[in-house]
Amino acid sequence: MASNGQAEKVAEVEENVGDNGDTVTPWDVQSKSDKGIDYDKLIERFGCQRISDDLIQRIEKVIGQPVHPLLKRGIFFSHRDLEFILAQKEAGKPFYLYTGRGPSSESMHLGHLIPFVFTKWLQDAFDVPLVIQLTDDEKFLWKNLTIKETMKLAKENAKDIIACGFDLNKTFIFSNFRYIGQSPEFYQNIQLVAKNVTFNQAKGCFGFTESDSIGKIHFPSIEAAPSFSSSFPFIFGEDSNIPCLIPCAIDQDPFFRMTRDVAPRVGLHKPALIHSVFFPALQGAQSKMSASDETSAIFLTDTPEQIRTKITKYAFSGGQSTAEAQREKGANCEIDVTYQYLRFFYDDDEKLQEIKKVCTSAYL
Amino acid sequence: MASNGQAEKVAEVEENVGDNGDTVTPWDVQSKSDKGIDYDKLIERFGCQRISDDLIQRIEKVIGQPVHPLLKRGIFFSHRDLEFILAQKEAGKPFYLYTGRGPSSESMHLGHLIPFVFTKWLQDAFDVPLVIQLTDDEKFLWKNLTIKETMKLAKENAKDIIACGFDLNKTFIFSNFRYIGQSPEFYQNIQLVAKNVTFNQAKGCFGFTESDSIGKIHFPSIEAAPSFSSSFPFIFGEDSNIPCLIPCAIDQDPFFRMTRDVAPRVGLHKPALIHSVFFPALQGAQSKMSASDETSAIFLTDTPEQIRTKITKYAFSGGQSTAEAQREKGANCEIDVTYQYLRFFYDDDEKLQEIKKVCTSAYL
């Protein structure tokens, strides 16, 4: 398999906290710096690769169109084996997209949209099948929620996700609590992964402790399994081995670092990845938006009036250390949350440049 | 729930090896004594109860017939909450039977038959539904076998089990690799258990280490889940909570000690248990028969000639320390394997007594 050459960091050691105090796990993202996560250090620690301008040009050549602003602007900034996926496409060979969501609140917030907006674009640009996993079981294992409550959240979130406009004929969206009970092949792949990961390895990737439930400790194999096309025999046929590309925020990387360690040992393709940075909370880039903190996020169900209030009241803006410096130098767009939100969602490059110019000018 | 009063030993401490050096886990049974496992000590360590003569009489009263020789002769010797099950029956309330098998070899051996022979009798005597779990996933996780190989073993073993003659209208036999992919409710109950057991607790019950796979560590929740009737909505209805009785060899008790700890915390009935001693290997009572050691076991596929050879060549017999003592005192039937096999399988009490008399007499 072409994708198996690269050395992975599937550690026997604790690596979910970096030297610089940045913590990045699927359940906890924290930085001790007010600039937020140091992504260069994170890339090095995780062992993935920054997306270069050359790679972006190669993508544009393969798909025959410009890349999405989320990629152009470096919001999707890191990858594993993206070249392999491009080579598949160039050779006319199939691949598929896999992304997902842990449904922890009835309404999704803006940050949750990023992978789906980008995945929708990838699906259109490459014309490939897509599977979307809703990890209601994960939320059940981690939160104080019943199974029925998490299944309801998955259903609610599915509506928001469907609204992103995926290709109806090429998209399968599923809840684990429903689909695992409908597909022997999916369960078999879950156990295929679970057999090949030790508690020590899971501890190294995810920071589990001996007080964690055996459900949590086993869960990574459930997020891993959709990386293998044979989990979806009705889409890809039985015993298929079609590679996949996973667009996700970089906090999900540990799941797939683990998966990539297992895949060659069981004769399957390693999943390729394309990672985004975190969408900043209203309070600033130190942490990612959290659905469990109402004031940290703009929800898809918020009214325009509520959004206006949240931006005015909570959005961290400016960034100079004194009001005077702010007036003199203007805002620092690198950390100004309102500007950052535009950078994520406002497609018009020219206008965005203008806005940046205005914001970073002295207020004179 | 009437069955929740009794204190359980779900330990945070290593308890799979006793003071006397007896090791009893679902995957390892060893004794340092040539008399084999000390069951009195095991009962005390596990926190279950010996079946008294009074309890046997009560069973006979409830079912209106004598109990099976396996119970009469103390082969099924220990229990948890059997009184509660009898009270259910007396009150005309439902319960069901749950037993199972880990399919590790194509042919089952005599020892594997014990729980099924006894369960068949229980089903007839109480006229209740029965579910039989084939843990092909367990064998996949523990052995050097592929998923397909373990599924094939499950199918082969199912034939031997079906041949025991269960009530076709009241028996559901399933392989995990098939049924988990067909029943969302079963998977949901698996995760319900998995959420409520920590790695530390699993370590205490089963002796797991940090080098064990996350599949193994999670597996106990899969053997636990059929204890809850809602895992089988097509038999018991949705959201049902019908108690069950589990006939099994006592090495399986840790699974259900764990399940009984979880059940009241999730509002479900604790499973009741009835435990058998281990069927001795041909070499004697120090260990249980093992399908992986050809000379330790008589297989259901062995020809009469093969069985004769095995008994003659490998069966530990006599038990006196010298040939002379053997001639003088006769065999010690407590450890004579041939006699012990008759005790497990030969129904005629009178003839068995005669045989014992002959064997224990001096050869004069």
Side-chain angles (χ1 to χ4, degrees), chain A residues 137 140 187 195 210 214, chain B residues 137 140 187 195 197 210 214:
Chain A
D137 49 358
F140 170 69
Y187 174 63
K195 181 177 183 171
E210 303 207 350
I214 59 175
Chain B
D137 49 357
F140 170 69
Y187 174 63
K195 180 177 184 171
V197 177
E210 302 207 348
I214 59 175

Side-chain angles (χ1 to χ4, degrees), chain A residues 208-229:
Chain A
F208 292 135
T209 72
E210 303 207 350
S211 301
D212 278 318
S213 75
I214 59 175
K216 285 185 182 180
I217 292 164
H218 175 258
F219 175 77
S221 57
I222 299 172
E223 188 154 328
S227 309
F228 303 138
S229 61

Side-chain angles (χ1 to χ4, degrees), chain B residues 110-283:
Chain B
L110 282 187
H112 296 145
L113 271 188
I114 311 293
F116 294 109
V117 166
F118 188 63
T119 300
K120 149 79 177 146
W121 174 79
L122 282 172
Q123 183 179 45
D124 290 346
F126 287 92
D127 188 28
V128 285
L130 160 66
V131 297
I132 301 174
Q133 181 185 53
L134 302 175
T135 57
D136 43 8
D137 49 357
E138 175 192 19
K139 291 303 165 183
F140 170 69
L141 292 168
W142 262 264
K143 304 268 175 184
N144 189 18
L145 292 167
T146 65
I147 290 174
K148 285 191 177 153
E149 283 163 351
T150 61
M151 288 173 74
K152 187 162 175 287
L153 293 178
K155 202 168 176 180
E156 289 307 311
N157 283 195
K159 296 177 195 168
D160 284 335
I161 293 167
I162 290 165
C164 291
F166 298 104
D167 183 340
L168 286 180
N169 296 314
K170 292 193 171 169
T171 303
F172 176 54
I173 179 166
F174 62 98
S175 121
N176 284 338
F177 271 137
R178 287 180 178 87
Y179 184 57
I180 294 175
Q182 290 166 6
S183 167
E185 294 80 4
F186 185 26
Y187 174 63
Q188 289 162 23
N189 278 340
I190 289 168
Q191 295 299 52
L192 188 62
V193 176
K195 180 177 184 171
N196 286 287
V197 177
T198 67
F199 176 79
N200 270 329
Q201 287 172 320
K203 191 168 78 169
C205 281
F206 303 102
F208 292 134
T209 73
E210 302 207 348
S211 300
D212 278 317
S213 76
I214 59 175
K216 286 185 181 180
I217 292 164
H218 175 258
F219 175 77
S221 57
I222 299 172
E223 187 154 328
S227 309
F228 302 138
S229 60
S230 52
S231 297
F232 310 98
F234 66 97
I235 304 176
F236 303 109
E238 271 185 36
D239 297 321
S240 66
N241 183 13
I242 295 168
C244 81
L245 171 64
I246 303 172
C248 61
I250 197 161
D251 61 332
Q252 301 297 300
D253 185 72
F255 286 119
F256 304 112
R257 205 157 68 230
M258 182 197 84
T259 312
R260 288 169 56 87
D261 180 62
V262 171
R265 291 192 274 136
V266 296
L268 295 173
H269 277 295
K270 290 181 176 185
L273 286 110
I274 183 162
H275 303 115
S276 74
V277 300
F278 305 116
F279 190 68
L282 282 164
Q283 286 74 13

Side-chain angles (χ1 to χ4, degrees), chain A residues 55-67 86 90:
Chain A
L55 187 53
I56 287 180
Q57 279 170 27
R58 187 168 162 210
I59 297 169
E60 292 186 331
K61 204 178 138 202
V62 171
I63 59 175
Q65 59 176 278
V67 298
L86 293 174
E90 283 168 330

